[in-house]
Amino acid sequence: MNDHPLHLDVRNDGLALLTIHGSGTGNALGGSFWDGLRDTMQDLGTRRDVRTIAVTGAGSAFSVGMDLRWYIVRLRRAMRSQATGFMEEDVRRLQNAIDTVADCPKPVIALVNGECTGAALELISACDIRYATGEAFFALPEVQLGVVADLGGLQRLPQLINQGHLRELAFSGRALNAERAARIGLVNEVFPDATALLQAAENFNTTVSRHPEHVLEGIKQNLDDVHRTALTRGLDHAVRWNSHHIQTPELANAMATRLHQATATAHRAPAAGPSV
């Protein structure tokens, strides 16, 4: 496991490059990632030397989503202790971490190369702009585990893609490629490789750095405020629905099965990874 799930590089041009290493293969998002994301985004939002934030993944993937190895341990521990409200408290902590991305006063760009599924897709839905390479692919595989995606994807994605595409994505759990993601509006633009992806972020940062910082912050606040009440209500509904309808032994077993399947198919063609 990686002891440093995030790496931050604040450059002289004002671009802050935040790279996800996660807690395992495919930049999986384990416990330390979520606290690190929250603290880092809150800090970057106050820094005068930062104009734009770009979030990307290390290596050939953005992120396979939630680290199921980490979460299965937490679920089984909660079952043994018969802790009430475990899932609701835990999910709200993760929701709050993603909220810090959406609430950051700086423009936030997701740079997606390779897999971006489950919690990772919900994370990039909180960014202002999404750029991808042709190797990127996206999925919401939560339905395959018998859970409702509850970290904000179902609430934020309707602002990016239409209901038909979103429902197909959420009901099926199937992956879609970068070309279709661009066609339906999930990503702004597709680039040939990771180098071009970073160049696009640099070009955007150069452009916005010419504009007053407080004006950019005001634009973002005005765009977000009209959706805030519905977003909060939707996040609350998702976490309560899962808390009331999911039996933790069943979920832990489904996660364990998914991990086993992912290990068996690790070297095959892209599919939704061992994650949610």
Side-chain angles (χ1 to χ4, degrees), residues 51-52 107 129 201 203-213 216:
R51 296 304 307 270
T52 307
I129 295 167
N203 292 343
F204 179 84
N205 178 66
T206 298
T207 298
V208 301
S209 293
R210 301 188 185 109
H211 308 317
E213 190 170 3
L216 296 176

Side-chain angles (χ1 to χ4, degrees), residues 30-267:
S32 59
F33 167 80
W34 299 100
D35 293 339
L37 177 67
R38 179 200 63 215
D39 295 345
T40 302
M41 292 303 302
Q42 289 176 341
D43 176 63
L44 289 174
T46 65
R47 289 183 58 161
R48 300 301 302 271
D49 59 334
V50 172
R51 296 304 307 270
T52 307
I53 302 163
V55 184
T56 192
S60 60
F62 182 83
S63 170
V64 300
M66 190 85 73
D67 188 343
L68 296 187
R69 298 171 306 164
W70 164 70
Y71 209 71
I72 288 171
V73 171
R74 294 177 64 75
L75 280 173
R76 289 178 172 160
R77 185 179 300 150
M79 286 187 288
R80 288 194 299 269
S81 66
Q82 296 184 330
T84 60
F86 158 77
M87 178 168 288
E88 182 170 343
E89 293 172 6
D90 226 38
V91 172
R92 289 191 188 280
R93 181 171 70 89
L94 273 53
Q95 286 180 346
N96 290 339
I98 291 183
D99 284 346
T100 63
V101 177
D103 295 341
C104 180
K106 320 281 186 180
V108 183
I109 310 172
L111 306 180
V112 183
N113 184 35
E115 182 169 355
C116 179
T117 53
L121 177 52
E122 298 191 90
L123 168 60
I124 71 164
S125 73
C127 296
D128 298 295
I129 295 167
R130 285 148 294 278
Y131 293 148
T133 68
E135 300 300 315
F137 63 98
F138 308 84
L140 279 177
E142 285 85 350
V143 66
Q144 297 169 359
L145 293 175
V147 299
V148 173
D150 54 13
L151 300 186
L154 297 181
Q155 291 73 37
R156 293 186 172 100
L157 287 170
Q159 300 174 41
L160 308 176
I161 63 179
N162 71 33
Q163 284 282 340
H165 293 305
L166 174 56
R167 289 168 191 256
E168 181 183 359
L169 190 66
F171 290 159
S172 71
R174 293 196 303 259
L176 56 91
N177 62 23
E179 179 184 358
R180 186 177 176 202
R183 192 165 66 245
I184 68 176
L186 178 58
V187 301
N188 295 65
E189 193 170 351
V190 178
F191 296 89
D193 53 41
T195 299
L197 202 63
L198 180 58
Q199 183 65 56
E202 292 170 348
N203 292 343
F204 179 84
N205 178 66
T206 298
T207 298
V208 301
S209 293
R210 301 188 185 109
H211 308 317
E213 190 170 3
H214 71 280
V215 173
L216 296 176
E217 182 176 348
I219 291 171
K220 186 165 181 175
Q221 286 181 351
N222 276 272
L223 289 171
D224 290 345
D225 281 350
V226 295
H227 305 288
R228 196 170 301 278
T229 299
L231 172 67
T232 301
R233 185 170 61 247
L235 289 172
D236 182 69
H237 184 268
V239 69
R240 289 184 181 277
W241 196 98
N242 277 337
S243 295
H244 293 155
H245 290 83
I246 294 172
Q247 298 297 318
T248 51
E250 295 175 5
L251 179 56
N253 291 338
M255 287 183 172
T257 299
R258 185 171 180 82
L259 276 172
H260 177 75
Q261 292 171 343
T263 301
T265 60
H267 301 293

Side-chain angles (χ1 to χ4, degrees), residues 1-16:
M1 294 178 64
N2 195 318
D3 293 330
H4 305 283
L6 287 162
H7 178 264
L8 176 63
D9 177 21
V10 178
R11 300 162 25 148
N12 292 334
D13 60 359
L15 177 65

